């Protein structure tokens, strides 16, 4: 019996596995085989239920992808890419001068008058040059207050009081040396109060001096801009400060004359002046046009003669009794710089000069223009020296401050050719560019004790014995919050005044 070919084909289709279509086809053999829209698939009578379901899925997928219009988007992107490749990058051609739009400008901006005639050119305005240190004229300067709010009447009263206290000599001029225990007790009694702190000058303090009067306390401070501020501690801080401007550059050294305290001598780079309160004038003692000055000190002969150190390493001998503002002698010390000079308190023919890295003692009697040799070398310094000072009573000690973070004490009771330090104190002297360099100074009331600023916290001022022992630290966390680089002590009373880099003074007193 021959088999029916149609039945055979249907049987084979049912038995054959489903072809791979790349799509997940969920086939339910028992489901309805009709289209969801009611239309039958072409040739459905000859296909199995699986094939009809497969064709249905293919048709639905084709409709979905056709709705996305992927072919049209791909063709559009191909056309854009082909245009870019064929034409390359388009460069914008610069416009021609004739194509630019002419902007209208008024006749005033074109500097022409209504008739069309050009107006003359205006002269260029002068350039304003602000000089940080305006030069003051040479010669005497009047003692006029710097502040606009300072009354000239009050200034006159202040100068009169300064002159009056300068006439009264201390009853006991002999310098005493107390035992260390008594000296330490006196230091402990000195305190800093709120009314003993005030701003005296505008900028960083570079030098200080204190009047020797015992009836009133008068302190002078010089800053880096040439100002000198005087503070009378007998008044409230807001009423006892008077500021003058006798210099154009930093006031690096200052002393009240030991022979006549009515004279305040101050030194800046260009000039040495004497503030005379009796005449209310800053007289000019010495002027140097070729070298800047650094420090000075008094020689014998009623303190009319001065030795002046200069930054080029030379020293000058100046006599105030000689007319004019020139030096009697200019001598080279064969040093790169002379930062401080200080005269021996007993043998006043000797002075010590702190150079760049050397400290030497010279005899003023044998100074000449060139070829000067020291009589004594104080060795041991490895970096620049900031200061060197004799002890106040006998001059048997010299204390130096060096940038190698050491304070050194030398025995100068016997001046040999070379002297080594007898005591060395490890001390942070790296003040940097914004602080005035430390200068260790002797207490004029005590032969073997000196005072120096400190970078330690809390901020303080330190007192050392010549042996290197730390005796006392002055501090007050409420009223002293800055570094006091420059300090000064009263010659007969327990008063210590420290100056900082903002022009503020702090007075410790009992």
């Amino acid at each position: 019996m021959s088999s029916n070919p149609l039945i055979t084909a249907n049987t084979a289709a049912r038995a054959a596995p489903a072809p791979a279509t790349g799509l997940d086809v969920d086939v339910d053999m028992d489901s309805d085989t009709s289209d969801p829209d009611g239309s039958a698939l072409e040739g459905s009578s000859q296909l199995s239920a699986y094939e009809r379901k497969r064709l249905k899925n293919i048709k639905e997928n084709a409709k979905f992808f056709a709705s996305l219009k992927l072919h049209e988007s791909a063709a559009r992107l191909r056309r854009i890419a082909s245009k870019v490749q064929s034409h390359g990058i388009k460069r914008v051609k610069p416009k021609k001068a004739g194509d630019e739009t002419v902007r209208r400008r008024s006749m005033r901006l074109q500097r022409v008058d209504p008739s069309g005639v050009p107006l003359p050119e205006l002269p260029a305005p002068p350039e304003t040059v602000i000089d940080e240190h305006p030069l003051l004229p040479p010669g005497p300067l009047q003692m006029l207050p710097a502040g606009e709010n300072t009354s000239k009447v009050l200034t006159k009263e202040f100068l009169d009081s300064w002159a009056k206290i300068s006439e009264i000599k201390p009853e006991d001029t002999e310098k005493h040396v107390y035992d260390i225990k008594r000296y330490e007790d006196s230091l402990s009694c000195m305190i800093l109060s709120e009314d003993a702190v005030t701003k005296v000058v505008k900028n960083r303090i570079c030098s200080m001096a204190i009047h020797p009067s015992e009836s009133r306390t008068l302190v002078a401070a010089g800053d880096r801009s040439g100002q000198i501020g005087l503070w009378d501690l007998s008044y409230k801080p807001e009423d006892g400060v008077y500021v003058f401007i006798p210099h154009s550059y930093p006031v690096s050294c200052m002393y009240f004359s030991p022979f006549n305290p009515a004279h305040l001598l101050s030194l800046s780079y260009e000039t040495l002046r004497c503030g005379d309160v009796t005449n209310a004038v800053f007289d000019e003692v010495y002027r140097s046009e070729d070298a800047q000055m650094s420090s000075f000190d008094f020689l014998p002969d009623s303190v009319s003669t001065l030795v002046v150190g200069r930054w080029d390493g030379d020293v000058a001998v100046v006599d105030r009794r000689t007319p004019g503002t020139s030096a009697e002698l200019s001598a080279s010390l064969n040093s790169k710089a002379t930062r401080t000079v200080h005269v021996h308190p007993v043998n006043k023919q000797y002075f010590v000069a702190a150079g760049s890295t050397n400290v030497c003692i010279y005899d003023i009697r044998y100074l000449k223009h060139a070829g000067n040799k020291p009589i004594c070398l104080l060795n041991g310094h490895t970096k620049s020296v900031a200061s060197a000072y004799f002890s106040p009573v006998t001059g048997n000690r010299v204390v130096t401050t060096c940038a190698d973070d050491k304070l050194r004490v030398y025995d100068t009771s016997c001046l040999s050719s070379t002297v080594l330090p007898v005591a060395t104190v490890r001390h942070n002297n790296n003040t940097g560019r914004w602080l005035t360099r430390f200068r260790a100074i002797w207490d004029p009331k005590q032969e073997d004790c000196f005072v120096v600023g400190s970078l330690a916290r809390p901020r303080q001022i330190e007192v050392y014995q010549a042996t290197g022992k730390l005796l006392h630290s002055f501090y007050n966390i409420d009223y002293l919050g800055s570094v006091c680089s420059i300090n000064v002590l009263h010659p007969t009373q327990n008063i210590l005044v420290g100056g900082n880099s903002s022009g503020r003074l702090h007075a410790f007193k009992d």
Side-chain angles (χ1 to χ4, degrees):
M1 180 178 177
S2 61
S3 61
N4 189 349
L6 180 58
I7 297 174
T8 304
N10 291 338
T11 304
R14 293 188 190 97
T21 62
L23 298 173
D24 291 336
V25 180
D26 185 15
V27 179
D28 186 4
M29 301 302 297
D30 297 331
S31 61
D32 188 12
T33 58
S34 63
D35 288 339
D37 54 358
S39 61
L41 295 174
E42 184 180 357
S44 59
S45 59
Q46 298 179 0
L47 298 178
S48 64
Y50 170 81
E51 289 176 336
R52 288 194 298 271
K53 185 68 175 178
R54 175 175 172 271
L55 292 176
K56 176 184 175 184
N57 291 341
I58 292 175
K59 184 176 181 181
E60 290 179 353
N61 291 340
K63 289 182 179 180
F64 172 75
F65 285 112
S67 66
L68 296 179
K69 299 181 179 181
L70 296 178
H71 297 288
E72 290 82 351
S73 299
R76 186 166 59 254
L77 291 176
R78 283 194 294 270
R79 287 195 299 270
I80 294 174
S82 61
K83 286 184 179 181
V84 172
Q85 292 179 358
S86 60
H87 296 287
I89 299 174
K90 293 185 178 181
R91 300 184 181 275
V92 179
K93 295 183 179 180
K95 295 182 178 181
K96 297 182 180 180
D99 298 338
E100 295 182 358
T101 304
V102 179
R103 298 180 60 183
R104 298 183 59 185
R105 299 177 62 195
S106 66
M107 301 181 72
R108 177 181 61 83
L109 295 178
Q110 299 180 46
R111 296 204 53 76
V112 294
D113 61 11
S115 61
V117 179
L119 297 175
E121 293 292 334
L122 293 176
E127 296 183 0
T128 304
V129 179
I130 301 175
D131 192 357
E132 183 180 1
H133 301 285
L135 294 179
L136 297 174
L141 298 175
Q142 294 296 318
M143 277 190 173
L144 300 177
E148 297 180 356
N149 299 327
T150 305
S151 171
K152 293 184 179 180
V153 177
L154 294 177
T155 304
K156 179 65 168 55
E157 294 178 357
F158 166 71
L159 296 180
D160 291 342
S161 64
W162 177 2
K164 186 177 296 184
I165 64 175
S166 300
E167 296 174 357
I168 305 174
K169 304 296 181 182
E171 296 180 0
D172 187 6
T173 58
E174 183 181 356
K175 296 179 180 178
H176 294 281
V177 179
Y178 302 109
D179 60 273
I180 293 298
K181 182 64 174 64
R182 184 179 174 186
Y183 180 66
E184 285 186 276
D185 293 340
S186 66
L187 296 177
S188 301
C189 296
M190 299 166 60
I191 61 173
L192 177 66
S193 58
E194 183 179 3
D195 58 351
V197 180
T198 188
K199 187 175 179 65
V200 177
V201 287
K202 180 180 179 181
N203 295 305
R204 171 161 51 98
I205 294 176
C206 301
S207 60
M208 293 175 59
I210 191 167
H211 196 280
S213 171
E214 295 181 351
S215 60
R216 300 174 73 170
T217 304
L218 180 63
V219 183
D223 74 353
R224 65 181 299 272
S225 64
Q227 289 189 355
I228 292 180
L230 292 117
W231 179 25
D232 189 346
L233 273 70
S234 304
Y235 295 92
K236 295 181 179 180
E238 59 270 16
D239 299 329
V241 175
Y242 298 86
V243 181
F244 305 92
I245 309 179
H247 297 283
S248 302
Y249 297 97
V251 184
S252 56
C253 189
M254 192 162 41
Y255 291 107
F256 285 95
S257 172
F259 180 73
N260 184 7
H263 291 173
L264 175 62
L265 284 88
S266 59
L267 179 139
S268 185
Y269 288 165
E270 83 289 3
T271 183
L272 171 64
R273 292 186 179 273
C274 175
D276 185 359
V277 295
T278 57
N279 298 317
V281 65
F282 286 100
D283 198 5
E284 193 169 50
V285 177
Y286 172 53
R287 173 175 286 271
S288 177
E289 301 292 347
D290 56 347
Q292 297 178 342
M293 294 174 281
S294 59
S295 62
F296 75 96
D297 199 7
F298 300 96
L299 289 168
D301 301 329
S302 301
V303 294
S304 297
T305 312
L306 309 169
V307 56
V308 181
R310 306 195 306 192
W311 286 108
D312 61 357
D314 295 355
V315 295
V317 179
V318 178
D319 193 338
R320 297 173 59 190
R321 298 165 296 186
T322 303
T325 59
S326 60
E328 303 296 318
L329 173 66
S330 180
S332 174
L333 301 185
N334 300 318
S335 177
K336 293 182 179 179
T338 300
R339 289 187 170 86
T340 62
V341 291
H342 192 237
V343 176
H344 197 285
V346 179
N347 303 316
K348 292 187 176 293
Q349 70 272 20
Y350 299 136
F351 71 92
V352 59
S356 55
T357 57
N358 58 302
V359 179
C360 304
I361 298 176
Y362 295 86
D363 193 330
I364 195 72
R365 299 171 297 181
Y366 301 107
L367 281 184
K368 49 186 180 294
H369 181 68
N372 295 287
K373 294 183 178 180
I375 63 173
C376 182
L377 295 175
L378 307 184
N379 288 341
H381 305 93
T382 59
K383 291 186 179 181
S384 63
V385 183
S387 63
Y389 297 107
F390 283 109
S391 57
V393 180
T394 64
N396 291 338
R397 295 286 187 272
V398 169
V399 60
T400 64
T401 310
C402 186
D404 59 7
D405 289 339
K406 289 182 181 179
L407 306 173
R408 294 177 174 87
V409 179
Y410 294 84
D411 184 358
T412 54
S413 57
C414 181
L415 297 180
S416 58
S417 59
T418 302
V419 179
L420 295 176
V422 295
T424 301
V425 179
R426 185 71 181 176
H427 190 268
N428 186 0
N429 297 326
N430 188 16
T431 53
R433 62 176 298 186
W434 305 113
L435 300 177
T436 302
R437 296 184 66 177
F438 291 154
R439 300 175 199 163
I441 60 169
W442 297 96
D443 189 339
K445 302 180 295 296
Q446 193 72 14
E447 167 71 8
D448 57 349
C449 295
F450 60 88
V451 175
V452 66
S454 175
L455 292 172
R457 292 182 182 275
R459 297 309 187 192
Q460 55 194 269
I461 304 172
E462 299 170 339
V463 182
Y464 287 90
Q465 198 174 0
T467 58
K469 177 184 177 182
L470 177 63
L471 290 181
H472 187 76
S473 295
F474 290 97
Y475 66 92
N476 188 309
I477 59 176
D478 295 324
Y479 307 124
L480 178 60
S482 56
V483 177
C484 291
S485 299
I486 303 297
N487 304 281
V488 66
L489 295 115
H490 196 278
T492 58
Q493 295 183 324
N494 292 328
I495 299 175
L496 165 67
V497 184
N500 67 4
S501 293
S502 64
R504 195 175 300 274
L505 296 184
H506 308 76
F508 290 84
K509 53 184 179 179
D510 55 10

